[in-house]
Amino acid sequence: KLLYVPLPSPDDRYSILQALGASIKLAQDVDLKSIAHDSRADGFSGADCAALLREAGLAVLRDGILGKKIAPQAGHTEESK
């Protein structure tokens, strides 16, 4: 049996990013609403939204910030899109 689940709307993506981002300390310049409504996020599923935040976290690590308390910033989410 197949079940079709439509892709989330921009507002739905925003809700998903908010829920996923609640457990992550994000910098103040991260605007989840603008990320969710960005045309580059069109076609993103809930799993894609989770991967976006995960990749932003990995970008922080790649920037050599290991061992310091720093939150993903807007530039890190830009890298992940």
Side-chain angles (χ1 to χ4, degrees):
K1 201 175 203 184
L2 293 175
L3 176 65
Y4 175 74
V5 179
L7 291 172
S9 69
D11 289 330
D12 293 336
R13 282 194 302 267
Y14 177 52
S15 296
I16 292 166
L17 287 170
Q18 280 184 309
L20 295 169
S23 61
I24 301 170
K25 182 175 178 171
L26 299 171
Q28 290 184 355
D29 68 339
V30 176
D31 184 0
L32 295 177
K33 188 169 192 166
S34 69
I35 293 169
H37 287 83
D38 192 293
S39 62
R40 292 175 288 180
D42 286 348
F44 273 33
S45 66
D48 293 325
C49 292
L52 175 72
L53 290 180
R54 189 172 45 254
E55 288 294 324
L58 291 173
V60 170
L61 296 176
R62 276 193 304 271
D63 284 350
I65 315 224
L66 289 171
K68 296 181 183 176
K69 288 188 176 185
I70 190 159
Q73 300 175 1
H76 294 115
T77 55
E78 285 296 318
E79 273 183 41
S80 302
K81 288 183 185 173

